[in-house]
Amino acid sequence: MGHIEASELTYLLPDGRPLLLEASFKVGDGAKAALVGPNGAGKTTLLRLIAGELHPSDGRIASSGGIGVMRQFLGEGTVHDLLLNVAPRPIRDAAAELAAAEAAISRRDDQPAQLAYAQAIADYADAGGYELEVVWDVCATEALGRPYERIKDRSLATLSGGEQKRLMLEALLRGPDEVLLLDEPDNYLDVRAKQWLEQAIRGSAKTVLLVSHDRQLLAEAADRIITVEGRTVWVHGGGFAGYAEARRQRRERLEERRQRWEDERARLRRLVHTLRQRSANNDALAGAYQSAVTRLERFEREGPPQRAPKEQNVRMRLRGGRTGKRAVICEELELTGLLRPFSTEIWYGERVGVLGLNGTGKSCFLRLLAGEPIAHTGVARLGARVAPGHFAQTHLRPDLKGRAAADVVMREHAMTRNEAMAALARYELAPAGGQPFETLSGGQQARLQILLLELSGATLLLLDEPTDNLDLASAEALQQGLEGYEGTVLAVTHDRWFAADLDRYLIVGADGLVRESDEPRWDV
């Protein structure tokens, strides 16, 4: 049995600005709830509050059943470290004590060290560590095709993002925690893995609260939608299919209630004004005047109803430029150990999708075209006047670490601060203009990368999962921006909505063969 309940939750940012104000909602036992809202609205913060990693400024959070957490960004270390990170806290603590005892006995094999080691083993067993390792063996076999003991010391750097996510999800869904907080669990997953995730969430008895921007996953896995916007939350008790209509109706109700309040305040003010003028020459109206003043003061003191949340207005002006007719030429191109030799041409103005399972070499293909040293044979070259711009899937940008968003735009594109802030405002990034890149949300990092592509004037966009961290409105803005883009687009994607807008597709099979198709295919 597991549940989550937030009551009158308020959270202030370090600078004192409120991120959440008196937010309340409940996710009952076994429910599957999706947390949606604009990037930076507080979805990840809300998950961290529920997990106990942050503490609210006011309000209360109650939960039962133990909480398992999948964070938005992946960690470092080994397979063992990754699985331990999603284990219950008592097991994590016992594992840390066991590791310390093992290190101590390797330095001095005396009786106190041996006794401490024996006690650490017993504590780890009592916490359920060895029982959980049996579960991990199943998880590793399902996700990676190998038993846990054979791969526990394997570096996470040797696993794709999708493999890491699948392993974490297997561990959480099979683990002992009854409440799961999943922050963008579908990121890095290919379509086949997303379909597995949809079925696994639906079939689980656990209570699940997930953040996702994948509309298909939301439609398939969530039975209620919790929206974070306007510093509060509201709940749509149905699935995603009816969400857009429910949001429209809610907005209309809020606007109508706000207008009625404004109308009533205007009426009371007119009444006070009229009675003040009349009571000046008629003492009999003095009581009515004071009564009207009291009513107006009480009315205004109680305050207006909630405003309808501001609609997002992300405006991407991807321009590009004219290039030669052939933008990308591949002749018997083979990516060593990944793609078998293939030849293709991508023409100026085309929108081409690169589809296939994780680990088949799609990202490496884009990185090769971006100019990175990827091992290959054959020819991969760009056409005349083609200037590539690369959107990195993992957002690993060491060149941006520690740099504020506004400073990046100013220095890399010779802009004044006002010009930089105006550009950031179009991407709804102006409030975060002073934040270092690594402190931005995943969606804010994605939007900043797209803005930098826009300002660079790239005539070939190499987009590696560009919609993974974008909220629904930003993903739609990107698709609209690409419609007006004067250039060529090559996009690796597992977003089924995004893929439908592309012209044609390179399908990368598990066998390393690259096939061309006029329709998106996810079954190879």
Side-chain angles (χ1 to χ4, degrees), residues 139-160:
C139 297
T141 302
E142 288 291 328
L144 304 176
R146 293 178 176 83
Y148 169 69
E149 281 297 323
R150 288 181 56 188
I151 63 169
K152 66 179 182 180
D153 296 322
R154 182 174 170 181
S155 170
L156 293 178
T158 66
L159 302 180
S160 70

Side-chain angles (χ1 to χ4, degrees), residues 13 18 55-56 97 114-115 205 220 229 255 257 344 346 357 366 368 372 411 466 520:
L13 295 169
H55 300 288
E97 292 294 329
Q114 292 173 353
L115 290 174
E220 295 290 338
E229 60 182 352
E255 289 175 344
R257 286 162 54 187
T344 191
I346 298 172
L357 299 177
L366 260 62
L368 174 65
E372 294 189 30
R411 294 181 182 180

